[in-house]
């Protein structure tokens, strides 16, 4: 685990995910990416996430609904 923390980036654009992973990773963050709401929930269940960067329009869910789920089930994120 990075001393800077872990960031979960959720977006359905693979190039954007890759770019953000490279940019934040080079600054010392642990960057985890997910391309759907279901994948994001799976990532959240595997360990502590400090910050979430979330796209609003995802293929399988609305980003607002997903954020509600995150704040309810993972309030320390």
């Amino acid at each position: 685990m990075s001393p800077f923390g872990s960031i979960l980036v959720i977006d359905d654009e693979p190039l954007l995910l890759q770019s953000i992973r490279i940019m934040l990773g080079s600054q010392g963050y642990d960057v985890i990416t997910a391309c759907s709401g279901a994948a994001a929930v799976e990532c959240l269940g595997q360990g502590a996430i400090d910050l979430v960067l979330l796209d609003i329009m995802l293929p399988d869910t609305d980003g607002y609904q997903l954020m509600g789920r995150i704040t309810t089930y993972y309030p320390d994120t």
Side-chain angles (χ1 to χ4, degrees):
M1 174 156 259
S2 168
F4 292 105
S6 60
I7 300 174
L8 173 59
V9 183
I10 309 162
D11 198 292
D12 58 339
E13 295 290 332
L15 186 57
L16 181 63
L17 288 177
Q18 180 183 7
S19 297
I20 292 173
R21 175 186 282 173
I22 291 168
M23 182 181 65
L24 294 174
S26 71
Q27 298 300 310
Y29 294 96
D30 283 332
V31 181
I32 302 137
T33 59
C35 60
S36 68
V41 170
E42 186 176 321
C43 291
L44 286 160
Q46 293 179 6
I49 301 291
D50 297 304
L51 177 72
V52 173
L53 297 177
L54 173 61
D55 186 12
I56 298 302
M57 296 173 48
L58 295 167
D60 62 342
T61 189
D62 176 282
Y64 294 111
Q65 292 173 340
L66 181 57
M67 193 67 229
R69 185 172 182 173
I70 292 169
T71 58
T72 299
Y73 295 104
Y74 306 98
D76 292 334
T77 298

